[in-house]
Amino acid sequence: MRSGGPLVGLLVALVVVGGGAAAGAPGRCTTSTPVKAYAKCIALPTQGATLAWTYDARNATLDAAFTGSFISPSGWVAWGVNQDAPAMAGARVIAAFSDPSTGALLALPFVLSADVKLQAKPLVSRPLDIPLLASSASLIAPARTVRDGASVTIAATIRLSPNRTRVHFVWNRGLYVQGYSPTIHPTDASDLASHATVDILTTATESSPIASARLQWAHGSLNALSWGLLLPVGAALARYLRPCASAGPAWFYGHAAVQATGYALGAAGFALGIAMGAASPGVTYKLHRGLGIAAATAGSLQTLAVFFRPKTTNRYRKYWKSYHHLVGYGCVVVGVVNVFQGFEVMGLGASYWKLGYCMALATLVGGCVALEVNAWVVFCRRQHEEKLMRREVEDVVVKDRAAAF
């Protein structure tokens, strides 16, 4: 859950609305809620969430209501504030979910420490260290129970620090609650970007931009085609065409052309990934990024190695070939693994796009297995034929020596 930290005197309302809004689409805000009418409202940038509030500057009191949506009957929705930055660590939040014992709606306070972010220990409810004057929670009609898309309002009145009107808000939602402990939220781009800084006097909002869907699809398509297909095909060409005498030097030109094309497209996809990361501060996918950097580094080393390839008569040629094979196959494996990781990042883990890629990859792997078996059959046959020829030669030599005596 992305959340904010200790804000002297702030705890806000949570309105969880089951409108089934798109994960990244802003909702329509309204100043009228089932609890009360508010003076101002804004549509938050992700999860279809909205925020409504009334601020009394005389006593620095804030009445607020946050609107979001459940994504599971056993899920949770939470919203909070951070004094220092729009981040999860150090946040003071309220989480709304169904009581596992009675089924009644709960709105419990949580303090999010760094240990919670690292999942070193479960999230346990405890009183907030900020002045909370009042709070409540209720489902919004027609919802009667917590379900996917159900609506709920959690409202609160809090006292802010005097003359502090720029507040870091964070919010999120998850699929499960273990006992009374919300579990980790999804890690889609919109979920990781669920934070904003709002001036409660002017409604001016600052939020982290999310990379456009078109840019994400371009990044995914280029990388799936290059690291996930072209580079494995290029490696297969070198592996299975080179032993064919009839192919001549065609295997080398085919291998070089496919690999060069794959690397160029992969470099473009990698550059788009870097641009997307720069445009979305706070949105990080450590494993996906690490695998991408490893694949790009291995691909670059392979490209540079071509310019330092020794001649066939050079004694160091065998070492270069070993390096070229090791780094090349390693690049292929890391690239394919990262393509699958990319499907998960984009929320396409159970999509037809992933199925199509799996079918293409399975076809390639099946072809390679068949060619590998054929190569070993040919190799064993040649070894057997050479062994028979050596025996015939040895028999002839023995006969000639016997005749000489």
Side-chain angles (χ1 to χ4, degrees):
M1 173 173 41
R2 308 281 308 184
S3 307
L7 173 64
V8 176
L10 177 49
L11 173 57
V12 179
L14 238 179
V15 181
V16 183
V17 176
R28 290 185 177 181
C29 78
T30 176
T31 56
S32 299
T33 73
V35 178
K36 63 173 70 175
Y38 296 91
K40 301 177 184 296
C41 73
I42 59 171
L44 296 172
T46 65
Q47 299 181 353
T50 65
L51 180 67
W53 72 90
T54 298
Y55 176 64
D56 188 344
R58 294 171 299 179
N59 54 14
T61 300
L62 181 71
D63 284 336
F66 168 83
T67 302
S69 59
F70 282 108
I71 56 175
S72 168
S74 58
W76 55 266
V77 177
W79 174 90
V81 294
N82 189 313
Q83 184 179 16
D84 302 316
M88 183 181 76
R92 271 58 176 169
V93 303
I94 297 179
F97 53 87
S98 178
D99 189 322
S101 300
T102 65
L105 181 67
L106 296 177
L108 299 182
F110 293 90
V111 177
L112 306 182
S113 63
D115 291 337
V116 173
K117 182 176 180 180
L118 297 174
Q119 302 180 56
K121 59 183 180 181
L123 186 60
V124 179
S125 177
R126 59 173 170 167
L128 300 180
D129 52 359
I130 56 179
L132 172 63
L133 305 181
S135 64
S136 63
S138 60
L139 288 167
I140 300 175
R144 295 181 179 272
T145 59
V146 174
R147 56 178 172 78
D148 184 7
S151 301
V152 60
T153 300
I154 304 173
T157 303
I158 63 259
R159 182 169 288 116
L160 304 180
S161 299
N163 302 319
R164 189 183 184 98
T165 61
R166 291 183 75 255
V167 183
H168 303 300
F169 294 107
V170 285
W171 61 95
N172 227 306
R173 56 194 180 181
L175 291 168
Y176 305 105
V177 176
Q178 293 181 345
Y180 293 88
S181 178
T183 60
I184 188 171
H185 60 76
T187 55
D188 294 342
S190 61
D191 298 303
L192 296 178
S194 294
H195 54 78
T197 301
V198 180
D199 190 318
I200 57 176
L201 290 181
T202 65
T203 72
T205 305
E206 302 172 9
S207 60
S208 297
I210 303 175
S212 68
R214 182 175 299 179
L215 193 62
Q216 293 179 34
W217 277 98
H219 167 75
S221 299
L222 285 174
N223 287 330
L225 178 62
S226 57
W227 306 108
L229 285 177
L230 287 180
L231 293 184
V233 168
L237 287 176
R239 169 71 177 170
Y240 301 112
L241 287 186
R242 184 178 182 181
C244 299
S246 59
W251 74 266
F252 175 79
Y253 297 114
H255 170 70
V258 173
Q259 297 300 77
T261 303
Y263 176 73
L265 294 178
F270 181 75
L272 286 179
I274 296 296
M276 290 165 57
S280 305
V283 181
T284 57
Y285 301 98
K286 293 183 179 180
L287 178 58
H288 186 56
R289 180 179 60 183
L291 291 174
I293 292 174
T297 301
S300 300
L301 289 174
Q302 283 290 78
T303 303
L304 292 175
V306 173
F307 299 101
F308 299 95
R309 184 178 60 166
K311 295 182 179 180
T312 54
T313 56
N314 192 300
R315 62 175 180 173
Y316 294 108
R317 176 66 177 233
K318 61 180 180 180
Y319 301 112
W320 183 91
K321 287 179 63 178
S322 298
Y323 158 84
H324 188 64
H325 290 164
L326 178 64
V327 176
Y329 288 128
C331 180
V332 168
V333 171
V334 172
V336 170
V337 170
N338 205 28
V339 169
F340 283 103
Q341 181 65 21
F343 279 116
E344 300 302 321
V345 167
M346 293 185 68
L348 300 175
S351 67
Y352 287 109
W353 293 101
K354 182 178 179 180
L355 177 62
Y357 174 73
C358 288
M359 292 177 66
L361 187 63
T363 301
L364 175 60
V365 171
C368 290
V369 170
L371 290 172
E372 188 71 24
V373 171
N374 179 72
W376 278 101
V377 169
V378 172
F379 173 78
C380 293
R381 183 181 300 166
R382 287 178 178 175
Q383 291 291 101
H384 181 66
E385 291 175 352
E386 291 178 359
K387 185 177 181 180
L388 292 178
M389 291 180 62
R390 285 196 299 269
R391 285 182 178 178
E392 291 178 358
V393 171
E394 290 175 355
D395 291 342
V396 170
V397 171
V398 170
K399 290 179 179 180
D400 288 345
R401 290 179 178 176
F405 288 105

